[in-house]
Amino acid sequence: MKKKALITGVTGQDGSYLADLLLDKGYEVIGMVRRASTEAFERIAHIKDRLVLKQADLLDELSLIKLMEETLPDEIYNLAAQSFVPTSWEQPILTGEFTAIGVIRMLEAMRRACPRAKFYQASSSEMFGKVREMPQTEQTPFYPRSPYGVSKVFGHYITVNYRESYDLFAASGILFNHESPRRGKEFVTRKISDGVARIKLGLATELRLGNLDAKRDWGFAGDYVEAMWMMLQQDEPNDFVVATGIAHSVKDFCRIAFGHVGLDWEKHVVIDPAFVRPAEVEHLLGDSAKARQTLGWQPRVDFERLVAMMVDADLERHGKNVERRT
């Protein structure tokens, strides 16, 4: 009998890669989608006919209970959130409702409808914020620097609480930044790869960015969803940092992305104060030794290959648009 997995946020970057992985492993994959006036299914268009899509909402606990009672999943991956940090400053209360309280609603629904399921919570390196130590491990104290980071800390600790209080299999992956050609264009990495492609094809001349000195531990989303699955295959639930262990600056990303198409980044990048966060997170660097030793996980795609992959995908996409116009 096929194992059943429920993914919230299935239409997002991580959700789509995780759905790919689970389908390849023979799972029945149930994707939770919100009732919305415009559905964004681009990332799962290639597998939509193989998914079971069900409507429910992290803001509505009854819809979550009903969904879990109907589907009785073996594994639950809670990836849905308001996940863009700058937006969390503009909509802090909504971010808290989705990214913090939404986790309790999921855990309560699971506890009532399918308490023997295994639960994965998408925690984030943004919880470390103003970092207390370098690199960051599962034991590093949190110091979030945005409403998003604060909400993720709440979601993380409520998952630990439910695990310890109700004997639920509830694990958290503290994932450091992970990117791909499916990343939303509001994120700086995709903003850069898209901007490079547009400039190379003559569709733009400049790329406006904020803090070029911020450093992140960037990996490939396709590698990171494998760690999520591995966490739920363990005998006991636990929390794991997932990271490459190598940090690069936004400037490094620009240099490699522009260099990939034979351009000098300094001739095209413009610093715009409008893109600087109210409270910046300067340097995130993860130590994933526990995940590597316990899960046997390791990243396959290095930084340079990731950047090239993203630029090539945007070049292809914009190139097709240019061809259609001509």
Side-chain angles (χ1 to χ4, degrees), residues 92-315:
I93 296 169
L94 186 67
T95 298
E97 283 286 349
F98 276 116
T99 311
I101 306 302
V103 184
I104 299 188
R105 295 189 186 107
M106 285 293 294
L107 288 163
E108 271 295 306
M110 169 182 159
R111 186 169 75 87
R112 293 166 188 273
C114 49
R116 301 270 54 89
K118 293 185 173 184
F119 181 86
Y120 172 84
Q121 168 59 17
S123 290
S124 167
S125 59
E126 286 285 333
M127 300 188 305
F128 295 118
K130 191 173 181 179
V131 298
R132 309 289 188 92
E133 63 180 7
M134 198 70 66
Q136 294 92 57
T137 72
E138 293 82 4
Q139 303 305 316
T140 302
F142 299 136
Y143 193 147
R145 297 267 282 171
S146 66
Y148 170 76
V150 172
S151 298
K152 279 293 185 184
V153 170
F154 182 98
H156 180 83
Y157 276 130
I158 203 66
T159 301
V160 172
N161 269 251
Y162 269 64
R163 175 169 77 214
E164 295 176 351
S165 303
Y166 298 117
D167 194 29
L168 299 179
F169 190 111
S172 287
I174 306 172
L175 270 56
F176 279 65
N177 294 65
H178 45 288
E179 317 298 319
S180 75
R182 299 182 194 175
R183 188 53 132 165
K185 279 193 278 188
E186 68 273 20
F187 290 85
V188 69
T189 50
R190 183 68 195 292
K191 187 177 177 182
I192 294 169
S193 66
D194 183 74
V196 167
R198 288 170 57 80
I199 291 167
K200 180 64 177 177
L201 294 169
L203 301 172
T205 57
E206 67 176 31
L207 174 61
R208 304 183 80 84
L209 297 171
N211 181 10
L212 298 187
D213 296 320
K215 290 186 174 180
R216 295 291 184 271
D217 184 332
W218 275 303
F220 172 51
D223 290 341
Y224 284 38
V225 298
E226 191 172 11
M228 299 177 186
W229 174 77
M230 287 175 164
M231 287 178 213
L232 298 199
Q233 309 318 305
Q234 303 305 300
D235 293 331
E236 298 293 332
N238 215 320
D239 304 325
F240 295 91
V241 162
V242 180
T244 69
I246 304 169
H248 294 90
S249 66
V250 176
K251 190 182 293 180
D252 292 335
F253 203 107
C254 287
R255 178 176 50 77
I256 293 169
F258 278 94
H260 182 63
V261 297
L263 295 175
D264 180 354
W265 72 272
E266 292 184 279
K267 292 180 179 175
H268 300 282
V269 173
V270 177
I271 306 300
D272 187 338
F275 295 115
V276 177
R277 295 182 185 183
E280 184 58 84
V281 174
E282 294 292 347
H283 195 170
L284 294 175
L285 176 64
D287 179 353
S288 58
K290 181 179 172 184
R292 294 174 195 239
Q293 290 162 11
T294 305
L295 306 177
W297 176 84
Q298 59 182 6
R300 297 189 183 94
V301 177
D302 67 19
F303 183 68
E304 286 75 12
R305 192 169 144 216
L306 171 65
V307 176
M309 179 196 305
M310 293 177 69
V311 172
D312 288 342
D314 280 322
L315 273 172

